[in-house]
Amino acid sequence: MEAADENDTRPFESQFQTTPRSHTHRGSVVTAPHVLAAIEEENYDTNHPNLGTALIINQVNFSTMGKREGSDKDRDCISAVLQRIGFNVRVFDDLDKIKLLTHLDEVAHEDHSKNDCLVVVVMTHGDKDVLYANDKSYPIGNLWEPFLGDACPTLRGKPKLFFVQACRGNSFDKGVKLSKMVTDTVDARSSADTLLYTIPIMADLLVMYSTYDGHYSWRNPINGSWFIQSLSNELEQNAFGKELLQLLTTVTRRVAYQYQSNVPGNSEMDAKKQIPCIVSMLTKAFYFKPK
């Protein structure tokens, strides 16, 4: 059910209002000059000294689940390209739930004021709305909750980017045929007692999942996962040449077009496809900037 806005003057509202409002009526649209100026800012600020911190959480071995062969290849590829771009990369292998959540909380309490953004890459087993440490599961929201606007002040107004390589269910994408005709053609900066504008707690967060909700995510035991390999390749080639969402759309296209499962003798799993999924609460365009 929708919450009624104070500006909503539908007739039924009068049935519930028995006493006059004693406060000064405020409209819902904020028109202060500094807010309008903020709306005009189309790009995130990338003039900080550092690009930012990148956390790589690589879960290969589990106490009650199968080993994730090929994940070390993913870890090495994505950590190497993020380092080349300019991130301060930290790698964590086979963390239990307590250590994983503790590390996230510790990083959230660091000073990120000189950083452009934050990147977190998680590679693990997963299911609907949960991920697995090497001993227990945890709600996927535990990844970003420590970094939201109400919990991590020095990342307010900055992109917080999460990339999740994990299954989100057990469904397989069988794909569809596509035919195409081809023709030849030649943080608000303010004093301590001044609030420039307010933003939602969830603002400036992006989560890119390796697969769509409810579906299986593919990983080759030798060559790594389709998603992390595609992300690594695209960052290697175009990190400084494309806006972030354009870059990630290309990652989605790489996974969707370039890969297909090869499991001979298993009709349920053979010749299946995969499509990554982006959930974006970004409010501006973001470009990785060389430092």
Side-chain angles (χ1 to χ4, degrees), residues 218-245:
W218 290 93
R219 167 180 39 84
N220 185 281
I222 297 175
N223 297 320
S225 67
W226 303 357
F227 174 59
I228 296 297
Q229 291 301 311
S230 297
L231 178 62
S232 299
N233 290 336
E234 184 62 20
L235 286 172
E236 183 72 46
Q237 296 176 26
N238 296 303
F240 301 127
K242 294 181 180 180
E243 195 276 329
L244 177 65
L245 286 176

Side-chain angles (χ1 to χ4, degrees), residues 158-171:
K158 299 178 180 181
K160 294 163 278 286
L161 314 176
F162 292 79
F163 300 95
V164 181
Q165 165 59 40
C167 290
R168 303 181 69 192
N170 299 314
S171 297

Side-chain angles (χ1 to χ4, degrees), residues 195-258:
L195 181 65
L196 291 185
Y197 53 92
T198 303
I199 60 174
I201 290 172
M202 296 293 292
D204 309 306
L205 174 72
L206 178 143
V207 184
M208 187 172 189
Y209 298 92
S210 60
T211 190
Y212 183 66
D213 187 27
H215 284 71
Y216 192 82
S217 186
W218 290 93
R219 167 180 39 84
N220 185 281
I222 297 175
N223 297 320
S225 67
W226 303 357
F227 174 59
I228 296 297
Q229 291 301 311
S230 297
L231 178 62
S232 299
N233 290 336
E234 184 62 20
L235 286 172
E236 183 72 46
Q237 296 176 26
N238 296 303
F240 301 127
K242 294 181 180 180
E243 195 276 329
L244 177 65
L245 286 176
Q246 182 187 22
L247 187 151
L248 297 184
T249 299
T250 306
V251 173
T252 298
R253 188 163 63 250
R254 285 177 180 265
V255 174
Y257 291 7
Q258 190 171 355

Side-chain angles (χ1 to χ4, degrees), residues 78-94:
I78 193 65
S79 60
V81 71
L82 288 173
Q83 282 181 327
R84 283 195 287 273
I85 292 173
F87 280 96
N88 170 23
V89 177
R90 307 179 198 176
V91 177
F92 302 97
D93 290 303
D94 292 340

